[in-house]
Amino acid sequence: MAPLRWLPLLLGALLLRGSRAAGPIRAFVVPHSHMDVGWVYTVQESMRAYAANVYTSVVAELAQGQRRRFIAVEQEFFRLWWDQVASGQQKAQVHQLLAQGRLEFVLGGQVMHDEAVTHLDDQILQLTEGHGFLYETFGIRPRFSWHVDPFGASATTPTLFALAGFHAHLISRIDYDLKDAMQKAQGLQFMWRGSPSLSTQQQIFTHVMDQFSYCTPAHLPFSNRSGFYWNGVAVFPEPPPDGVYPNMSEPVTPANVELYAQVLVANVKQRAAWFRTPHVLWPWGCDKQFFNASVQFANMDPLLDHINSRAAELGVTAEYATLDDYFRALHELNVTWGVRNHQDFLPYASEQQQAWTGFYASRSTLKGLARQASALLYAGESMFTRYMWPAPRGTLDPTWALQQLQQLRWAVSEVQHHDAITGTESPKVSNMYVEHLAMGTRGVHKLMASITQDSAQHVALGSDSGTRPEGHLASVYNPLAWTVTTIITLTVSFSRASVTDESGRLVPAQIQRSTRDPSAYDLLILVTIPGLSYRHYSVQPTTGTRAAATMASTVWFGRRQRHTSRGNRRLVTVVNNCYTVLLDPDTNLLHSVQERQSNRTVRMSQEFLEYHANGDATRGPISDNYLFAPNETAVPAWEAVGLEVVAGELVTEIRQRFYRDATAQAYTYAIHSRLAHVSQGPGAELLCHRIEQEYRVGPLELNREAVLRTSSDLDSQQVLYSDNNGYQMHRRPYRAYESNTIARNYYPMVQSAFIEDSRSRLVLLSERAHGVSSPGSGQVEVMLHRRLWNNLAWDLNYNLTLNDTSIVHPVLWLLLGSQAVTTALHPQSALALQHRPVVLLRELPGRGTRAKGPASRPQAPQQQAAVTLPPNLHLQILSIPGWNYSSSHSEHMRALRTSHRGQAQADLRRVLLRLHHLYEAGEDPVLSQPVTVNLEAVLRGLGAVAAVQERSLTGTWDVHTMQRWSWRTKPGRQTGRPASHSWPPSNHKVTVHPKEILTFFVHFRQQ
């Protein structure tokens, strides 16, 4: 039975049911190949075995038959084929097929991204990468999605795809019992309004694939082979020399064509009963198909001819189609559709015992690396843009710089694939993603270091002797468009140090023993950096009486066993201006937290627990890369915990180490909590009002799934709130199921989750994706790590058992306070965690090295004016994409027609700007208001603005020429605001409404 939250949609679908028009059912046969960018095989292995052959053979076969069609989805494989394989003739054929509408690019991103554990910014990036290539190369802009394989569907996606200009959205994997109910109610098609704050212009027509999903039904009652897969199954590592593949379907002949027709027609009619119109989308293809398109079409052509020759008798017509063909025919029927508001389709379960909630935490290291690389790319993009405008200020080669950014754009886009960041891939493919991210990261680090190096030449070094002492020069870049006050941590080899800024002034700093390296020290430095700006700090060892960073002192409380208590000992307090954290020395655990502004003390404890997973598939459900199937409730994973408090003037750290065995020397788990003693300065409120926690988890024992459970006395009624992709929050009440209740109440937490009662809210912010649940009132449980093995043949054959022996170090920030306070702090704090300042370190020469010029009277380098936005507005991107197409569509198409398709020089003058309003309508009395900004004033540090053009989400449309289809909906209460953009803006002023994402091309006047 579908959950009650879907009842309005299902009832609406039932009310809208009606009789079909007389005449045959019209089957739209959509040829496609699902090509995973990774999963079991690396990208290069897939290219060699089948992917290149898909495009080579499809292009050839479409050219042979005018009625044939094909849809292409992900761009990574196509771009590799286009650049490395395709001949000039094949490229010309692709241009012709696209112009004729017989080859259609749908979705058009680099990959088919996951929807559960990916961040909004990275989804936009990978779409932008793919769409930019398609528009630059062909002048086309995808109008339909094909999101058939992500494991659940996010309510963020309809908003993004509407902003990208899509007419319709197609999904498949939703909860099995919900899909069954929607089929019976003919409710698989509807208008989806993803955001409660946005206008109806950001809604999208959505088609949910039926129970057969995106693959062609394979069972043939007249044959022992699979049906409709005449090219068989792809073979790795090389195609078979004789062209004979395993499991090739029985060829269509005059003797069996009627039998084939009966199977196809019966399936079309079965599907037609689940939809409200006589138009049936019949996907023809599956994973790794059409690598021999010749044999595919050679068999389907006569089959379709046979069906159409008997259409009156069979009651079905069949035709090759693209998504444009299908949705255009559907749209022309002018049916009235039901409306689904801003619920998502998460979590996803394919069967009663198969809850796909394990992947929320699979391969946590990769999830962390992906987000770190994304954050570095975000910083590198804006730093390079600021370097180029108003004029380059150094010897950096812009072409080389753009190559470094493009390499990381590709890698970050690639890892958003639904079998990549999800952790559901094989080990060798995971290693491929890591390698690509590492290469891209190194390039952008080198780029950023090159930009900052010139400006650091005149930094004060704190010495007037003419020689430079040993130490480090730290260049710190703030990628956010607000002034940020925070604490950065450097690891140094000396126990006493001084830190000076560009003008030679001492900077507050604290030094203490390193938590990672016993022979080193952590140097904590307080920095305040304006938006999109950097500052330089000189770090030098000191001796004697020279001013130095303050030393922290450590108090060790020993080790306490889990079941022991000495009773009535005085609580240990750690205090800053926002919180008092109380620790129980009897247990060495957190006892409570007092939020000082409201003066409320919330009882709170934290501990690590483990779910024990079954590894024998013959004995019951198993957990694997995808699935979470706990045998029972989680049990404590420790027997003793050690506690030490490291107190300093700048920061106090609470270090808890959890031991699996009371006498063990090594610990498996740790929590390092940090409170900052800073209350003044721009952005200091964010720093004060968070408890930063870093965890150590692992290595785990086999078949263990590790969670951090935070328990409080908040009366939350087991209601959890978690985010969709860092964009919007969703209410998640704990639900009872007939079985598998624990797993089916896990949700993805990409960036944040919270629980609350009438007085207080506890917010958790994350720098990588996790699974999250609320197993009890006042509890938040976060899955941090998994190590699994099972004997299921499918998992073993593809090496998908997730035997992850790594140690992971995830970070959460905790915010506690009233709803008003946490609502205001939540979005900016989440971004402060995601986009922490980038620290670029280089060694200072040793003591015998002469300085270049006098060091006694250094001059601080002049920097451009900071880029500063209001606190409710986020600079989602500021970059130079490098696309070489004209912003005028007619001019671009004219250039393509005149064969100017070569490697045109990248356009370094066009700047891509995207603004994102962080708040929902009505969420905060001040911050939820529309905000108007003057782009010329905000961007004055980059030069004089010459022109601003509003574009679609991925930049390929002028929004005023982007016409999306209007679908009729039944009358009902409207949510969000009516669309009311006025353009062009006067004096480059733009108004951004709650939750809006606006994209612009900005052109500056040449200096």
Side-chain angles (χ1 to χ4, degrees):
M1 188 65 187
L4 290 178
R5 58 184 168 147
W6 301 112
L7 197 55
L9 176 64
L10 297 177
L11 289 174
L14 286 168
L15 290 172
L16 290 169
R17 291 178 74 166
S19 60
R20 289 194 182 87
I25 298 168
R26 187 178 176 188
F28 292 78
V29 178
V30 179
H32 75 98
S33 180
H34 185 69
M35 304 164 69
D36 286 304
V37 183
W39 189 37
V40 177
Y41 303 101
T42 67
V43 167
Q44 288 305 318
E45 286 176 327
S46 294
M47 283 292 291
R48 188 165 60 250
Y50 83 95
N53 288 338
V54 170
Y55 296 113
T56 298
S57 66
V58 163
V59 168
E61 290 307 308
L62 292 185
Q64 296 298 315
Q66 288 295 313
R67 64 174 177 166
R68 293 172 177 175
R69 302 288 189 270
F70 191 82
I71 62 168
V73 188
E74 302 91 346
Q75 289 308 298
E76 178 155 336
F77 283 129
F78 180 81
R79 291 177 73 173
L80 291 171
W81 177 79
W82 184 262
D83 290 339
Q84 301 174 8
V85 179
S87 66
Q89 180 184 2
Q90 288 168 328
K91 291 183 177 182
Q93 287 176 318
V94 170
H95 280 277
Q96 183 178 8
L97 292 169
L98 289 170
Q100 294 171 347
R102 297 195 291 120
L103 173 65
E104 181 184 33
F105 285 106
V106 297
L107 184 60
Q110 278 289 94
V111 299
M112 186 186 298
H113 67 252
D114 170 69
E115 296 193 38
V117 297
T118 49
H119 194 278
L120 166 84
D121 295 351
D122 302 323
Q123 295 178 357
I124 296 173
L125 169 71
Q126 75 87 20
L127 280 173
T128 302
E129 277 296 287
H131 287 194
F133 164 77
L134 287 174
Y135 188 60
E136 183 176 73
T137 309
F138 305 111
I140 62 167
R141 297 166 288 201
R143 301 309 298 260
F144 306 97
S145 91
W146 180 263
H147 249 221
V148 296
D149 204 27
F151 320 132
S154 164
T156 303
T157 310
T159 297
L160 294 189
F161 287 174
L163 291 172
F166 289 3
H167 292 311
H169 175 35
L170 190 148
I171 63 176
S172 182
R173 291 188 184 268
I174 66 171
D175 201 79
Y176 72 98
D177 54 357
L178 174 60
K179 179 176 281 192
D180 182 62
M182 293 173 73
Q183 285 183 171
K184 293 174 181 176
Q186 293 186 340
L188 293 172
Q189 294 173 319
F190 48 85
M191 292 299 292
W192 193 357
R193 294 175 184 161
S195 168
S197 298
L198 295 177
S199 73
T200 55
Q201 285 192 344
Q202 275 70 60
Q203 67 185 5
I204 195 166
F205 181 81
T206 302
H207 173 109
V208 182
M209 282 189 159
D210 55 50
Q211 67 188 40
F212 294 104
S213 192
Y214 62 87
C215 289
T216 310
H219 176 65
L220 295 177
F222 60 89
S223 173
N224 58 3
R225 304 189 210 173
S226 297
F228 308 102
Y229 298 113
W230 291 284
N231 60 191
V233 177
V235 173
F236 287 78
E238 302 281 351
D242 58 3
V244 178
Y245 288 82
N247 203 31
M248 296 176 73
S249 299
E250 188 174 325
V252 174
T253 67
N256 67 16
V257 67
E258 174 63 20
L259 298 174
Y260 261 115
Q262 290 174 8
V263 173
L264 195 155
V265 167
N267 185 256
V268 167
K269 289 181 175 179
Q270 182 182 6
R271 287 174 142 154
W274 299 327
F275 292 90
R276 294 180 50 225
T277 79
H279 295 343
V280 173
L281 190 157
W282 201 81
W284 176 33
C286 198
D287 293 44
K288 308 177 185 67
Q289 284 295 302
F290 281 87
F291 50 83
N292 185 348
S294 174
V295 69
Q296 290 282 85
F297 284 112
N299 283 276
M300 186 59 89
D301 284 354
L303 177 56
L304 297 190
D305 288 341
H306 181 82
I307 291 172
N308 291 328
S309 71
R310 299 182 56 212
E313 178 184 351
L314 295 175
V316 171
T317 64
E319 63 197 89
Y320 291 125
T322 63
L323 288 193
D324 182 83
D325 296 327
Y326 170 72
F327 282 116
R328 187 175 298 275
L330 191 67
H331 182 258
E332 288 174 354
L333 294 177
N334 202 23
V335 174
T336 299
W337 301 101
V339 175
R340 178 162 172 271
N341 286 321
H342 50 280
Q343 303 102 341
D344 58 15
F345 288 100
L346 292 166
Y348 164 59
S350 54
E351 297 177 17
Q352 191 174 65
Q353 295 294 338
Q354 294 191 352
W356 294 49
T357 56
F359 79 89
Y360 301 159
S362 294
R363 299 200 192 281
S364 177
T365 298
L366 177 63
K367 285 177 167 65
L369 285 173
R371 288 277 283 279
Q372 291 162 22
S374 171
L376 182 71
L377 176 62
Y378 174 77
E381 296 277 17
S382 63
M383 180 182 276
F384 176 60
T385 304
R386 300 216 69 188
Y387 171 84
M388 291 297 295
W389 290 98
R393 297 176 307 285
T395 58
L396 183 70
D397 177 5
T399 301
W400 172 85
L402 198 57
Q403 289 171 349
Q404 309 315 304
L405 293 169
Q406 288 171 336
Q407 180 176 234
L408 189 52
R409 290 172 191 166
W410 184 292
V412 173
S413 296
E414 177 185 75
V415 81
Q416 307 311 314
H417 176 65
H418 59 272
D419 274 307
I421 195 171
T422 51
T424 53
E425 67 279 0
S426 67
K428 68 178 177 182
V429 174
S430 180
N431 292 339
M432 177 198 73
Y433 296 134
V434 170
E435 180 182 349
H436 292 176
L437 289 169
M439 290 174 58
T441 296
R442 285 193 296 269
V444 173
H445 262 299
K446 189 174 181 180
L447 165 62
M448 297 180 73
S450 298
I451 292 173
T452 59
Q453 189 165 348
D454 286 343
S455 68
Q457 294 301 316
H458 303 289
V459 173
L461 300 173
S463 170
D464 56 6
S465 63
T467 61
R468 292 179 175 175
E470 60 186 343
H472 304 279
L473 182 65
S475 299
V476 185
Y477 180 70
N478 169 25
L480 293 171
W482 310 300
T483 298
V484 167
T485 295
T486 192
I487 293 168
I488 64 168
T489 302
L490 309 180
T491 300
V492 296
S493 59
F494 33 85
S495 60
R496 288 175 57 84
S498 67
V499 182
T500 52
D501 65 13
E502 297 149 335
S503 299
R505 292 186 294 265
L506 285 170
V507 176
Q510 175 180 317
I511 199 163
Q512 59 200 38
R513 282 284 184 184
S514 173
T515 58
R516 298 278 183 99
D517 183 354
S519 65
Y521 296 86
D522 288 338
L523 179 63
L524 285 61
I525 305 171
L526 179 66
V527 298
T528 297
I529 308 175
L532 271 62
S533 303
Y534 48 81
R535 294 290 181 263
H536 303 293
Y537 301 92
S538 178
V539 178
Q540 301 168 30
T542 60
T543 57
T545 59
R546 288 182 62 195
T550 59
M551 292 288 296
S553 60
T554 302
V555 179
W556 170 247
F557 291 87
R559 191 183 295 193
R560 302 285 182 265
Q561 294 192 29
R562 184 157 58 90
H563 297 293
T564 60
S565 177
R566 303 184 183 185
N568 298 321
R569 286 192 60 184
R570 189 173 178 182
L571 297 177
V572 176
T573 61
V574 177
V575 182
N576 74 357
N577 281 11
C578 297
Y579 298 115
T580 299
V581 175
L582 297 101
L583 304 159
D584 185 349
D586 281 353
T587 62
N588 283 350
L589 297 176
L590 177 64
H591 176 274
S592 53
V593 178
Q594 180 192 41
E595 199 273 318
R596 301 184 71 183
Q597 182 172 333
S598 65
N599 198 32
R600 182 185 181 184
T601 299
V602 176
R603 287 293 301 268
M604 193 181 303
S605 64
Q606 291 182 303
E607 64 172 335
F608 294 99
L609 301 98
E610 291 175 346
Y611 289 99
H612 291 202
N614 169 41
D616 186 351
T618 65
R619 295 188 176 183
I622 53 94
S623 288
D624 63 9
N625 293 37
Y626 304 88
L627 308 179
F628 175 36
N631 283 345
E632 54 190 13
T633 57
V635 296
W638 57 279
E639 288 297 328
V641 58
L643 171 67
E644 63 180 13
V645 176
V646 182
E649 293 183 9
L650 200 58
V651 162
T652 295
E653 287 190 355
I654 303 162
R655 300 175 180 175
Q656 297 165 284
R657 300 181 178 94
F658 294 77
Y659 298 84
R660 190 177 294 281
D661 184 88
T663 60
Q665 293 297 310
Y667 55 91
T668 305
Y669 297 95
I671 305 175
H672 292 164
S673 305
R674 175 184 287 185
L675 265 73
H677 306 297
V678 179
S679 58
Q680 295 183 348
E685 182 184 18
L686 296 181
L687 179 58
C688 175
H689 223 118
R690 66 188 184 228
I691 302 171
E692 301 180 9
Q693 292 193 326
E694 180 179 338
Y695 312 97
R696 174 219 157 103
V697 183
L700 300 180
E701 295 180 347
L702 194 59
N703 285 327
R704 298 291 184 267
E705 300 175 85
V707 301
L708 172 78
R709 183 178 292 171
T710 302
S711 302
S712 74
D713 61 1
L714 294 179
D715 185 21
S716 65
Q717 303 290 312
Q718 272 188 290
V719 175
L720 172 75
Y721 295 80
S722 70
D723 69 316
N724 269 175
N725 316 110
Y727 180 64
Q728 57 193 15
M729 303 300 294
H730 288 265
R731 187 176 185 270
R732 317 286 198 186
Y734 201 88
R735 302 183 186 279
Y737 294 92
E738 291 182 11
S739 62
N740 214 17
T741 293
I742 293 173
R744 295 183 73 178
N745 277 286
Y746 255 80
Y747 296 89
M749 177 178 72
V750 175
Q751 186 168 277
S752 60
F754 67 80
I755 58 172
E756 64 183 7
D757 61 16
S758 60
R759 296 177 57 198
S760 299
R761 176 181 293 174
L762 173 64
V763 181
L764 277 63
L765 304 175
S766 177
E767 39 72 80
R768 71 185 73 179
H770 302 287
V772 65
S773 185
S774 180
S777 185
Q779 292 184 333
V780 184
E781 181 175 288
V782 181
M783 186 172 289
L784 299 176
H785 199 13
R786 314 174 77 217
R787 182 187 175 193
L788 302 165
W789 184 91
N790 67 77
N791 59 7
L792 189 68
W794 189 85
D795 281 338
L796 293 175
N797 289 342
Y798 291 119
N799 198 9
L800 297 175
T801 58
L802 198 65
N803 190 6
D804 187 346
T805 60
S806 65
I807 299 172
V808 299
H809 297 274
V811 172
L812 295 177
W813 286 0
L814 278 58
L815 280 60
L816 178 67
S818 66
Q819 292 184 13
V821 168
T822 54
T823 295
L825 295 175
H826 178 167
Q828 273 197 303
S829 297
L831 287 166
L833 173 57
Q834 179 67 29
H835 296 296
R836 286 167 283 186
V838 177
V839 180
L840 302 159
L841 267 183
R842 59 190 179 101
E843 296 289 327
L844 290 175
R847 291 183 178 277
T849 305
R850 297 290 302 179
K852 295 181 181 179
S856 54
R857 298 183 63 83
Q859 294 182 351
Q862 289 189 345
Q863 291 203 28
Q864 299 159 283
V867 176
T868 305
L869 288 173
N872 51 359
L873 210 56
H874 171 45
L875 184 66
Q876 197 273 337
I877 194 67
L878 181 72
S879 76
I880 297 175
W883 300 315
N884 58 37
Y885 61 75
S886 170
S887 298
S888 165
H889 181 66
S890 59
E891 290 181 11
H892 177 52
M893 297 308 293
R894 190 179 307 116
L896 288 175
R897 285 193 297 271
T898 54
S899 299
H900 294 162
R901 299 171 185 162
Q903 293 295 320
Q905 187 174 2
D907 182 357
L908 299 173
R909 297 169 297 173
R910 174 170 37 212
V911 173
L912 176 68
L913 169 72
R914 194 175 289 119
L915 301 177
H916 171 201
H917 196 301
L918 294 172
Y919 291 83
E920 298 281 1
E923 190 176 14
D924 183 275
V926 176
L927 296 169
S928 290
Q929 296 300 314
V931 56
T932 299
V933 293
N934 185 329
L935 294 181
E936 189 159 23
V938 169
L939 301 174
R940 66 185 183 279
L942 283 77
V945 173
V948 176
Q949 183 184 35
E950 187 176 0
R951 306 291 292 190
S952 61
L953 182 73
T954 59
T956 57
W957 286 93
D958 180 329
V959 293
H960 302 97
T961 64
M962 182 181 74
Q963 300 296 320
R964 295 177 59 238
W965 293 346
S966 176
W967 300 76
R968 179 183 290 181
T969 59
K970 64 176 182 177
R973 187 176 66 87
Q974 299 290 312
T975 61
R977 60 169 199 87
S980 59
H981 271 212
S982 59
W983 198 263
S986 58
N987 301 321
H988 305 305
K989 291 182 179 179
V990 298
T991 299
V992 191
H993 294 262
K995 300 310 290 185
E996 274 193 328
I997 301 172
L998 301 184
T999 304
F1000 305 94
F1001 285 166
V1002 181
H1003 296 269
F1004 296 95
R1005 294 189 178 92
Q1006 293 282 357
Q1007 292 285 306

